[in-house]
Amino acid sequence: MLTRLIEFVTSLVVLLFAALPMLVLLSIRRLFGGKVCFLKQAYYLNTSSTLKAKLFNTKHIYLNTLPLYSHVLSGKLNIIGSSLRPIEEVTSGLEIGKPGILSIWLIRRINKIDYEGRDNIDLEYLKNRSIKKDFMILVKSLLALSAKVGANKTPEKIDLLGINFLNCSMSAALELISRTVDMNKKEKFYFMNPDCFNKLFEDEEYRAIMEKSDNVFPDGSGVNLACTMIGKDLRHNVNGTDMLPYLCEMVEKNRYRLFLLGAKPGITEKMKKNLEEKYPDLIVCGTNDGYFDRENESDIVIDRINKSQANILLVAFGVPLQEKWIEKNFHELQINAAIGVGGLFDFYSGTMPRAPKWMRELGIEWVFRLMMEPKRMWRRYIIGNPLFLKRVRTWKKEQNKVNN
Ligand code: UDP
């Protein structure tokens, strides 16, 4: 009853102080020959009813849904709830409770980390729903206020700063790795975050490797932002740290063999122990630290990897060392998939804490990493992030000139 009252009063406030001024602005735009003020949209409520609603005609996710607060007054919607689904996106008779204008799915979708899929995220929300969790969704939604509706193109590959990366979902990325093993093929997989893009400008050899790589995954919220800047819609933020649990499930289920190569001595053993506790049937068939003499001792390490009969090799030397090592030694490696994973082992060995989920959901994991290792990370993030965005902007202008 109290929640209902709070929702009622909040919706009234939103309608009066946000929706009404917005309507005035859109009407002025309309008067001067601009676009229509409203767009029609039908939403799924439950198996027997739909909601015919109007949205403001703007690209901003939260601004365009302002008229929906009138349906909170009438009791058809919640402010916070399971995700609000356009009728055309519903394929089966789902029971997802009363939908909310704001939802945990929407926050994860904006930051491209809705890996589990909409249904599972909604079901998880309904299972764990509490006033505290709803309040957190509200706070996270306020922090993501500038998000825009995905009206951009969603191509299979995206060219950013001269690198063509795969614009795929997390499950499609895993499928690609799995297919490589099942078909006994041999492939390299790399991730690129904004820091990696910056490194292209300092290291010709690294650039040459990445330019000819077929399997590059987009890593991090910075790449998501860059894609929005160039008018492309990223499907998922496919980063190694988020991928690992799914990869382990896949390795476990298919009885593949995993080799961990990289990080300081002792780290891979800790990681192996942690993973085997969590995934009892996982086969980690070998480990090796990343501080051997790469010039003179690579043969010994490759021999260990080959003898272990690994299918999937994770190489964690950091960018671009790992990419260069994989390229140089790929022909000697008897594996199916070599994946460059950067600092991943430090997280999963328990050596380095990972950012809390709310920070990841907001796409600010880098802030946490900066707090953890300010001396090492300030250059990467404080200088590197704006530099990356500036480079994207300049590159976009150049691309536009070429295309016109
Ligand atoms: N590392 C290594 N061998 C080296 C240098 C680094 O195995 O010669 C490891 C290091 O211990 C760390 C990882 O590579 O675990 C690099 O982590 P970082 O977070 O810098 O990688 P990024 O993902 O940012 O490239």
Side-chain angles (χ1 to χ4, degrees):
M1 190 61 205
L2 182 67
T3 353
R4 182 80 197 100
L5 187 69
I6 295 173
E7 289 215 297
F8 193 88
V9 175
T10 313
S11 299
L12 263 184
V13 173
V14 170
L15 286 168
L16 278 175
F17 296 101
L20 203 59
M22 186 72 195
L23 180 62
V24 174
L25 286 177
L26 290 177
S27 306
I28 295 172
R29 186 181 73 173
R30 178 84 180 119
L31 264 179
F32 287 93
K35 301 170 196 157
V36 292
C37 299
F38 292 102
L39 296 173
K40 284 182 188 160
Q41 178 65 57
Y43 289 105
Y44 176 86
L45 290 180
N46 52 49
T47 43
S48 54
S49 56
T50 55
L51 171 72
K52 284 189 181 142
K54 280 181 177 173
L55 299 174
F56 281 147
N57 186 8
T58 152
K59 271 194 166 189
H60 287 84
I61 288 187
Y62 295 114
L63 291 183
N64 80 348
T65 52
L66 285 175
L68 295 181
Y69 285 81
S70 60
H71 300 288
V72 179
L73 297 183
S74 65
K76 286 191 177 127
L77 296 178
N78 283 332
I79 294 183
I80 298 153
S82 51
S83 72
L84 186 57
R85 296 157 190 254
I87 197 80
E88 62 274 12
E89 289 174 22
V90 180
T91 45
S92 58
L94 278 168
E95 283 304 337
I96 40 145
K98 197 198 281 184
I101 301 169
L102 309 176
S103 66
I104 192 66
W105 172 82
L106 185 61
I107 294 163
R108 291 193 196 166
R109 182 65 210 134
I110 289 169
N111 288 301
K112 309 297 159 83
I113 55 165
D114 52 319
Y115 311 124
E116 289 90 356
R118 204 175 218 203
D119 294 356
N120 290 330
I121 293 173
D122 278 340
L123 290 173
E124 180 200 316
Y125 163 77
L126 290 173
K127 208 170 103 196
N128 303 316
R129 186 172 195 182
S130 67
I131 293 193
K132 192 175 151 219
K133 289 220 160 79
D134 278 3
F135 179 72
M136 282 311 288
I137 293 176
L138 183 69
V139 174
K140 286 179 213 168
S141 303
L142 288 174
L143 291 172
L145 266 183
S146 62
K148 291 192 177 168
V149 193
N152 291 324
K153 290 181 193 137
T154 315
E156 295 299 309
K157 279 203 164 195
I158 296 181
D159 177 7
L160 188 65
L161 297 170
I163 304 300
N164 266 294
F165 61 77
L166 296 170
N167 187 20
C168 60
S169 65
M170 183 62 92
S171 58
L174 288 155
E175 177 73 35
L176 196 61
I177 299 170
S178 166
R179 232 181 306 135
T180 304
V181 182
D182 292 343
M183 295 171 77
N184 203 16
K185 290 202 295 185
K186 215 176 149 187
E187 295 281 355
K188 297 162 258 180
F189 298 89
Y190 301 129
F191 296 92
M192 281 199 76
N193 60 30
D195 182 49
C196 305
F197 278 100
N198 282 335
K199 282 181 176 143
L200 296 172
F201 293 83
E202 297 152 15
D203 191 328
E204 275 304 313
E205 188 187 344
Y206 176 55
R207 180 179 276 277
I209 294 173
M210 297 318 294
E211 277 180 353
K212 66 177 176 57
S213 294
D214 291 325
N215 306 309
V216 182
F217 298 125
D219 170 354
S221 49
V223 180
N224 184 20
L225 184 59
C227 287
T228 312
M229 283 167 66
I230 61 166
K232 307 276 162 70
D233 197 26
L234 197 66
R235 284 207 172 92
H236 270 164
N237 166 352
V238 182
N239 64 83
T241 328
D242 282 333
M243 181 189 270
L244 191 82
Y246 302 108
L247 186 81
C248 288
E249 279 169 18
M250 183 182 91
V251 169
E252 191 180 36
K253 190 172 133 231
N254 295 308
R255 309 298 292 154
Y256 299 154
R257 298 165 71 81
L258 193 65
F259 195 104
L260 309 176
L261 171 64
K264 294 204 176 105
I267 300 281
T268 45
E269 287 80 359
K270 275 192 202 160
M271 174 160 163
K272 174 173 155 64
K273 194 169 159 278
N274 288 350
L275 292 183
E276 285 174 347
E277 265 168 29
K278 196 150 181 229
Y279 308 94
D281 291 327
L282 181 80
I283 307 171
V284 179
C285 59
T287 65
N288 202 101
D289 68 73
Y291 287 84
F292 57 94
D293 177 349
R294 269 181 287 276
E295 278 304 309
N296 300 307
E297 292 172 358
S298 284
D299 286 349
I300 306 170
V301 174
I302 292 168
D303 198 44
R304 280 189 77 177
I305 297 166
N306 291 346
K307 284 200 174 122
S308 76
Q309 298 187 324
N311 308 107
I312 299 175
L313 170 68
L314 303 186
V315 189
F317 303 156
V319 174
L321 275 182
Q322 62 204 21
E323 285 76 8
K324 290 181 184 174
W325 189 87
I326 293 174
E327 290 295 319
K328 192 169 167 209
N329 300 293
F330 196 57
H331 62 289
E332 305 252 16
L333 287 163
Q334 293 158 16
I335 44 129
N336 297 114
I339 315 179
V341 290
L344 181 79
F345 297 177
D346 297 328
F347 297 123
Y348 283 93
S349 59
T351 315
M352 179 69 72
R354 210 184 159 196
K357 199 155 187 196
W358 68 267
M359 284 184 116
R360 285 184 260 150
E361 278 172 347
L362 287 173
I364 53 167
E365 184 161 16
W366 63 272
V367 176
F368 186 82
R369 289 201 76 187
L370 179 63
M371 280 168 10
M372 287 292 113
E373 294 183 275
K375 264 193 191 157
R376 194 166 82 91
M377 294 298 177
W378 75 270
R379 191 178 286 277
R380 183 182 294 190
Y381 295 126
I382 305 285
I383 299 188
N385 284 355
L387 180 64
F388 166 67
L389 296 177
K390 185 173 167 277
R391 280 174 165 154
V392 172
R393 214 176 54 201
T394 314
W395 179 81
K396 187 190 162 198
K397 276 188 199 154
E398 282 164 12
Q399 294 296 107
N400 286 347
K401 263 191 220 157
V402 174
N403 294 336
N404 287 331

